[in-house]
Amino acid sequence: MRRRIIGGASVGRSTRPIQARWSHSTSRPERSAGISRPSITTSGHHDVWDFDLPIGPSLVDLPTANGTVPALIQSTKMGEFFVLDRRTGEPLTGVEEMPVPGDGLPGDTLSATQPVSSGMPSLAPSDLKAIDMWGATPIDQLLCRIDFRRLRYDGRFTPPTLGGDISYPAFDGVVDWQGATIDPTRQVLIANASYIPFTVRPMPQDQAIAEGLMEPWAGWDSGQPYPKPAAFAVGPQYGTPYAAVVKPWLGLFQAPCHAPPWGKLVAIDLRSRQILWQRPLGTTRDTGPFGTHVNLPLPTGVFNIGGNTATASGLIFIGATTDQYLRAFDERTGEKLWEARLPAGGQATPMTYMGDDGRQYVVIAAGGHGGLRTCLGDYLVAYALPDAGRSG
């Protein structure tokens, strides 16, 4: 088995050597005489941000000066793309160690560096500045600036800190479990990304219990049922000395504290390793102030969870957004060609297939998402072009 560590998650506790070597990595089984033999390339990374790898890599054969190379591309929550030779695990594009901030929670030991992909376009956001603060009103913007001054923020690898901090990207990342889609014929990678900072308020567990945020629990071996925390935002972190309250960083009227776009669809040319185009993805429909659902579809781009699918004809289909649409884009230009409103949130990856009638269909599971507050449902919705042989 050959692994290259490009991520790593444990907060407020020591990391066992086997975790430091193996957690959050991309691996390939390597068998000899029916036995899996580990051959490991590793960098020590102690992940305290929940920057795990929730999606497997995409496989593609890439042309190089030395011929075609069987490669894999691993997306990460940070918005990075690591390109590895899938035979050896060695990087085909640059990987650098980036110095990162220290001084996290008492008792925690942080890695001095984290790996970043230097040979591919990065979708990671620029570091926030006070001038970037945004709001639906001037009051919103002022309160967000006060938050920015009050909370710790030292860039994208700011560790959790007593007193509170801003996490950007956050635990659900720029690119979450959906990963990226690759068109192997055109050698194009398509990814949808989200840009919403979160605030993190760590505290000792005794304090969290005293505040009524969580209950004591002795673990699964105790036979006690898992005690549900007081709110979705509360992370009890049982087994560590700490708990944390993690929330999207929003202003008074529930708009994000930094300027849009808050969601993008991006196409990257794998030959030139350049961004071909990028555009905001989604509108503010159904995301009004104080959790209201209003029909005010501003084209800001929005938070999105769910993958995209590319077709041989050069179309990209994607749901994912909070405004509950399934959309089709031109892979060459990024132009939106079609959209249809779904009966519930399309936080899933669409798929395409050929029907018995000879037509190509696109289908998506529209089940909604509690965290995004999209409408819940249990729908499977399919679309196809009209049958040219039928009238009407």
Side-chain angles (χ1 to χ4, degrees):
M1 183 177 294
R2 190 173 294 271
R3 290 184 173 226
R4 184 167 187 83
I5 299 287
I6 54 179
S10 51
V11 180
R13 62 180 173 85
S14 60
T15 302
R16 294 177 296 168
I18 193 170
Q19 291 174 310
R21 296 180 69 187
W22 296 96
S23 67
H24 301 8
S25 64
T26 302
S27 63
R28 179 180 72 87
E30 183 177 287
R31 294 191 175 275
S32 175
I35 301 174
S36 181
R37 300 183 184 276
S39 178
I40 306 165
T41 304
T42 182
S43 301
H45 302 83
H46 178 55
D47 171 22
V48 294
W49 307 273
D50 195 18
F51 283 168
D52 58 293
L53 300 177
I55 185 69
S58 300
L59 307 184
V60 62
D61 294 335
L62 291 179
T64 70
N66 299 318
T68 300
V69 174
L72 65 82
I73 300 179
Q74 177 70 64
S75 63
T76 74
K77 287 185 176 181
M78 295 88 77
E80 304 277 351
F81 300 99
F82 291 80
V83 185
L84 309 180
D85 187 320
R86 65 177 185 258
R87 299 168 299 184
T88 65
E90 295 304 312
L92 296 174
T93 58
V95 177
E96 298 179 1
E97 289 293 328
M98 172 183 175
V100 298
D103 300 324
L105 294 170
D108 206 359
T109 302
L110 302 175
S111 173
T113 63
Q114 291 291 338
V116 295
S117 175
S118 59
M120 283 283 287
S122 174
L123 303 188
S126 300
D127 287 351
L128 294 170
K129 304 181 294 296
I131 197 172
D132 298 325
M133 298 304 100
W134 191 87
T137 69
I139 296 175
D140 256 14
Q141 186 181 44
L142 176 61
L143 293 176
C144 288
R145 287 196 176 196
I146 292 173
D147 268 353
F148 186 72
R149 296 297 186 189
R150 177 178 61 85
L151 298 168
R152 179 182 179 181
Y153 177 70
D154 297 323
R156 59 172 146 160
F157 289 105
T158 302
T161 308
L162 292 176
D165 57 274
I166 297 170
S167 180
Y168 187 51
F171 67 94
D172 43 15
V174 174
V175 180
D176 201 358
W177 56 257
Q178 69 268 14
T181 295
I182 292 178
D183 180 336
T185 302
R186 299 177 180 84
Q187 297 278 289
V188 173
L189 179 148
I190 305 102
N192 47 293
S194 295
Y195 296 94
I196 304 291
F198 275 60
T199 60
V200 182
R201 184 167 72 96
M203 65 191 75
Q205 283 208 356
D206 289 346
Q207 178 183 339
I209 293 170
E211 291 184 15
L213 299 175
M214 58 181 285
E215 298 178 10
W217 187 51
W220 295 112
D221 291 340
S222 68
Q224 301 172 355
Y226 179 83
K228 185 178 180 180
F232 181 77
V234 178
Q237 301 290 320
Y238 290 112
T240 79
Y242 299 100
V245 177
V246 183
K247 296 180 179 180
W249 187 27
L250 306 177
L252 180 64
F253 293 96
Q254 302 299 292
C257 273
H258 80 110
W262 301 312
K264 290 182 182 179
L265 187 64
V266 184
I268 296 173
D269 187 327
L270 294 176
R271 295 187 179 95
S272 65
R273 300 173 191 165
Q274 300 293 322
I275 292 178
L276 291 173
W277 52 261
Q278 53 185 319
R279 57 161 297 137
L281 178 63
T283 71
T284 57
R285 179 173 178 173
D286 293 333
T287 52
F290 307 114
T292 59
H293 286 224
V294 296
N295 187 13
L296 187 62
L298 301 177
T300 58
V302 291
F303 194 88
N304 54 88
I305 296 178
N308 65 80
T309 294
T311 70
S313 62
L315 295 178
I316 303 166
F317 288 94
I318 182 169
T321 55
T322 56
D323 58 359
Q324 298 183 186
Y325 280 92
L326 178 65
R327 295 180 168 93
F329 295 89
D330 186 326
E331 183 183 316
R332 294 173 290 274
T333 65
E335 178 187 0
K336 184 179 70 177
L337 303 176
W338 170 85
E339 65 180 15
R341 177 84 163 165
L342 295 169
Q347 279 67 62
T349 301
M351 63 172 289
T352 181
Y353 64 94
M354 296 299 296
D356 292 339
D357 57 2
R359 292 191 294 169
Q360 187 171 6
Y361 288 78
V362 174
V363 63
I364 188 169
H369 192 285
L372 296 188
R373 298 181 181 177
T374 53
C375 291
L376 303 181
D378 57 356
Y379 302 93
L380 287 175
V381 186
Y383 299 88
L385 290 174
D387 189 339
R390 296 180 182 177
S391 60

